[in-house]
């Protein structure tokens, strides 16, 4: 049914209002019609019983049966003014003493109420007084002035007058129902159209929001309370969209900057080498320097590819229960030679089980350990710690050093984000290590956190949930 409704919400609601009004008025009209029919029928029944009592009263004042025949007008006048009323007076021997209508072809064969009993509604019956015509009738005995003489009174009322009145009433009800439905549709259309003005205003505001005006928001105070949740949700979407757009723009700028440096180095080295003939040793040094730049570009492209796949959930996880201490010791052994070269010591503490993908777990911790060694002064100690919590396993990598200012901590896991120029000058760093760590933790349903006190200690913490 809804499929065939118009696309206009205003017209659709107006039609629904009309349908609701039509249904409601129809039910009310049916109730009123039924109530009137019952009341008319009850009135007719009480009138018939009243006529019996009225004719009994007249008969008591009548001396004989012959007087009834001679003075029929007295009895006919009682039924005058009632077109649907049929009256018979019949003697005990079956002789018709009086009748007010001649269209009744037969007399009803019903039970006659005794003269000493007051008629009740249970004595009323249906009488087919002519082909296709029915009436409600009652019959009772009435005594004359001579108590030994009784006359049968038959009073009936046809349904024609009542049905005619009900028919007219039914047409009035149908007209009122249709008129009410039409008025409901028209008023509903006007009311809905006026009520939807705030929606149109919101639509106009939304239409004005473009890629260059993502900072504009919809006014939630200008809409009804029912729509405020929708407007607030839309504004929240715009907030996330603006943030993502800004991060994408910053990422594009950072990517261009990081790609430009190695490409510029390669171009300048090649131009210098081609400016004049060089010795073989110089060409070997040039190729070695170029290889470092190519390797840096390769690592950067691989890291960007991993992040793109992680963002689109295209990295399949193969989880297993890992011995946290054993894994950290293995990573410490791998970096032991690099740490000794710069005078840094590695220390592993704690014991717990980590539910993680082995390869991604090692990659995330390797990135943290590599950064910790790079920024730890000679003679310092990098601590690798694993700890079991009720709902998660914590892996932390701590190192002393210059530390990181609090203003940089919220963006430390952003792609290509640099705290200082010293980080960007390193040819071994792509600026994506911490972003990869954050993506790996997101794939595991966990979280990467950092805390730092300048000139004291910096701690990176990985939170792996016990259950995925």
């Amino acid at each position: 049914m809804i499929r065939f409704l118009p696309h206009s919400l205003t017209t659709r609601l107006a039609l629904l209002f009309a349908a609701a009004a039509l249904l409601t008025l129809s039910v009310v009209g049916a109730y009123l019609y039924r109530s009137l029919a019952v009341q008319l029928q009850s009135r007719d029944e009480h009138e018939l019983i009243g006529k019996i009592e009225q004719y009994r009263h007249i008969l008591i004042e009548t001396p004989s049966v012959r007087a009834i025949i001679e003075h029929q007008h007295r009895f006919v006048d009682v039924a005058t003014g009632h077109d649907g009323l049929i009256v018979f007076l019949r003697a005990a021997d079956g002789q018709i003493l009086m009748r007010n209508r001649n269209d009744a072809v037969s007399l009803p064969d019903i039970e006659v109420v005794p003269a000493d009993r007051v008629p009740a509604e249970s004595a009323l019956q249906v009488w087919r007084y002519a082909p296709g015509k029915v009436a409600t009738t009652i019959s009772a005995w009435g005594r004359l002035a001579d108590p030994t003489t009784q006359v049968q009174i038959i009073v009936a009322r046809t349904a024609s007058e009542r049905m005619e009145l009900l028919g007219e009433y039914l047409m009035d009800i149908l007209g009122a129902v249709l008129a009410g439905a039409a008025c409901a549709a028209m008023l509903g259309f006007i009311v809905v159209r006026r009520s939807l003005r705030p929606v149109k205003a919101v639509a106009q505001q939304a239409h004005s929001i473009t890629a260059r005006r993502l900072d504009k928001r919809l006014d939630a105070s200008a809409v009804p309370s029912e729509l405020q949740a929708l407007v607030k949700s839309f504004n929240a979407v715009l907030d996330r969209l603006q943030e993502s757009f800004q991060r994408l723009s910053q990422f594009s700028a950072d990517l261009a900057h990081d790609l430009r440096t190695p490409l510029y180095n390669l171009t300048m080295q090649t131009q210098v080498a081609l400016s004049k003939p060089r010795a073989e040793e110089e060409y070997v040094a040039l190729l070695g320097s170029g290889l470092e730049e190519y390797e840096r570009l390769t690592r950067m492209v691989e890291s960007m590819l991993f992040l793109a796949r992680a963002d689109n959930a295209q990295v399949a996880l193969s989880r297993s229960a890992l011995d946290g201490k054993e894994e950290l010791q293995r990573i410490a052994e791998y970096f032991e030679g690099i740490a000794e070269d710069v005078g840094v010591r590695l220390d592993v503490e704690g014991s717990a089980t980590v539910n993680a993908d082995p390869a991604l777990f090692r990659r995330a911790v390797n990135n943290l350990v590599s950064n910790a060694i790079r920024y730890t002064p000679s003679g310092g100690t990098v601590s690798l710690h694993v700890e079991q919590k009720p709902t998660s396993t914590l892996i932390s990598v701590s190192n002393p050093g210059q530390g990181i200012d609090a203003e940089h901590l919220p963006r430390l896991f952003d792609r290509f984000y640099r705290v200082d120029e010293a980080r960007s000058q390193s040819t071994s760093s792509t600026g994506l290590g911490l972003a990869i760590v954050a993506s790996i933790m997101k794939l595991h349903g966990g979280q990467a956190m950092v805390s730092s006190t300048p000139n004291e200690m910096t701690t990176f913490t990985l939170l792996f949930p016990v259950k995925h």
Side-chain angles (χ1 to χ4, degrees):
M1 174 181 174
I2 297 180
R3 182 183 303 176
F4 299 101
L5 290 175
H7 293 291
S8 171
L9 181 60
T10 303
T11 305
R12 180 180 297 185
L13 290 177
L15 292 177
L16 291 177
F17 281 141
L22 183 63
L23 178 61
T24 303
L25 294 176
S26 298
V27 173
V28 173
Y31 170 77
L32 294 176
Y33 178 84
R34 176 62 181 171
S35 177
L36 179 61
V38 171
Q39 291 180 14
L40 289 177
Q41 184 177 0
S42 177
R43 187 191 67 177
D44 290 349
E45 293 173 352
H46 284 84
E47 185 178 3
L48 290 177
I49 296 175
K51 290 298 180 185
I52 290 290
E53 293 297 323
Q54 189 174 2
Y55 275 108
R56 279 180 170 179
H57 181 72
I58 297 175
L59 287 174
I60 292 177
E61 299 175 350
T62 305
S64 64
V65 171
R66 185 175 183 81
I68 297 176
I69 298 174
E70 293 177 352
H71 304 282
Q72 290 190 16
H73 65 88
R74 293 180 59 200
F75 301 93
V76 174
D77 290 345
V78 176
T80 301
H82 301 279
D83 295 336
L85 199 64
I86 302 174
V87 180
F88 287 90
L89 295 179
R90 187 169 63 171
D93 59 0
Q95 179 186 2
I96 301 299
L97 304 177
M98 189 278 294
R99 65 191 304 169
N100 70 327
R101 291 175 56 169
N102 297 320
D103 55 345
V105 298
S106 64
L107 294 180
D109 184 14
I110 61 175
E111 181 181 357
V112 183
V113 179
D116 58 351
R117 196 175 73 185
V118 178
E121 294 182 1
S122 59
L124 294 166
Q125 296 187 27
V126 177
W127 170 37
R128 296 186 181 277
Y129 66 93
K133 297 181 179 180
V134 297
T136 302
T137 184
I138 187 172
S139 179
W141 291 105
R143 291 189 179 94
L144 299 181
D146 180 7
T148 60
T149 305
Q150 294 187 4
V151 174
Q152 183 183 1
I153 307 168
I154 301 173
V155 181
R157 187 174 186 86
T158 64
S160 58
E161 183 181 355
R162 175 159 42 93
M163 295 306 297
E164 182 179 354
L165 178 61
L166 288 175
E168 294 177 356
Y169 187 67
L170 178 61
M171 296 305 298
D172 292 340
I173 289 178
L174 290 177
V177 168
L178 294 178
C183 291
M186 181 176 62
L187 293 177
F189 183 87
I190 297 174
V191 170
V192 172
R193 190 170 183 179
R194 291 179 62 87
S195 300
L196 290 180
R197 285 181 180 177
V199 179
K200 293 183 179 180
V202 170
Q204 293 177 353
Q205 293 179 20
H207 184 71
S208 65
I209 299 175
T210 62
R212 296 183 178 180
R213 303 180 63 185
L214 286 177
D215 57 331
K216 188 174 182 180
R217 296 293 179 267
L218 302 182
D219 185 8
S221 62
V223 299
S225 57
E226 292 81 2
L227 297 178
Q228 288 183 0
L230 177 62
V231 172
K232 291 178 180 178
S233 298
F234 186 78
N235 286 337
V237 171
L238 290 177
D239 291 337
R240 294 192 295 270
L241 182 61
Q242 182 182 14
E243 181 182 359
S244 299
F245 190 79
Q246 291 175 347
R247 292 180 62 182
L248 180 61
S249 300
Q250 185 64 39
F251 172 74
S252 300
D254 293 339
L255 177 62
H257 175 76
D258 281 72
L259 288 177
R260 182 179 62 183
T261 300
L263 291 175
Y264 177 78
N265 292 338
L266 290 172
T267 301
M268 290 300 298
Q269 292 173 3
T270 303
Q271 289 176 350
V272 171
L274 293 177
S275 63
K276 64 178 181 178
R278 302 286 180 178
E280 181 178 354
E281 293 78 6
E282 291 180 316
Y283 284 116
V284 171
L286 175 64
L287 291 176
S289 177
L291 180 60
E292 291 182 359
E293 298 296 343
Y294 287 128
E295 289 176 347
R296 180 182 179 186
L297 287 173
T298 300
R299 289 193 301 271
M300 187 180 301
V301 171
E302 289 178 348
S303 298
M304 290 170 56
L305 179 61
F306 174 83
L307 291 173
R309 293 176 59 197
D311 288 344
N312 291 278
Q314 295 179 359
V315 178
L317 295 182
S318 179
R319 294 175 180 269
S320 60
L322 305 176
D323 187 324
K325 185 174 183 179
E326 182 179 340
E327 291 293 330
L328 294 183
Q329 287 177 341
R330 185 179 303 172
I331 293 173
E333 292 175 359
Y334 174 79
F335 283 98
E336 187 176 0
I338 300 175
E340 289 180 355
D341 291 341
V342 294
V344 175
R345 191 170 66 89
L346 298 176
D347 184 30
V348 177
E349 298 177 349
S351 177
T353 300
V354 184
N355 182 22
D357 181 286
L360 296 181
F361 172 82
R362 292 162 190 155
R363 183 170 187 176
V365 179
N366 283 347
N367 287 351
L368 297 182
V369 174
S370 176
N371 282 345
I373 294 175
R374 183 181 303 118
Y375 298 106
T376 299
S378 179
T381 300
V382 175
S383 299
L384 285 68
H385 182 77
V386 57
E387 181 181 0
Q388 186 67 61
K389 296 291 185 179
T391 60
S392 60
T393 304
L394 302 183
I395 304 293
S396 59
V397 178
S398 304
N399 69 283
Q402 183 179 355
I404 305 171
D405 293 335
E407 61 185 76
H408 299 293
L409 296 180
R411 296 193 57 193
L412 206 57
F413 293 97
D414 292 351
R415 300 171 188 181
F416 295 112
Y417 183 75
R418 306 295 192 188
V419 175
D420 52 40
E421 291 298 326
R423 292 177 180 261
S424 61
Q425 292 173 358
S426 174
T427 59
S428 62
S429 174
T430 62
L432 297 173
L434 294 179
I436 291 176
V437 172
S439 295
I440 290 175
M441 297 310 300
K442 183 178 179 181
L443 288 173
H444 284 81
Q447 186 180 2
M449 301 174 291
V450 59
S451 62
S452 181
T453 302
N455 299 318
E456 291 187 15
M457 188 69 68
T458 299
T459 301
F460 286 86
T461 303
L462 306 181
L463 187 150
F464 288 89
V466 174
K467 294 183 179 181
H468 180 57

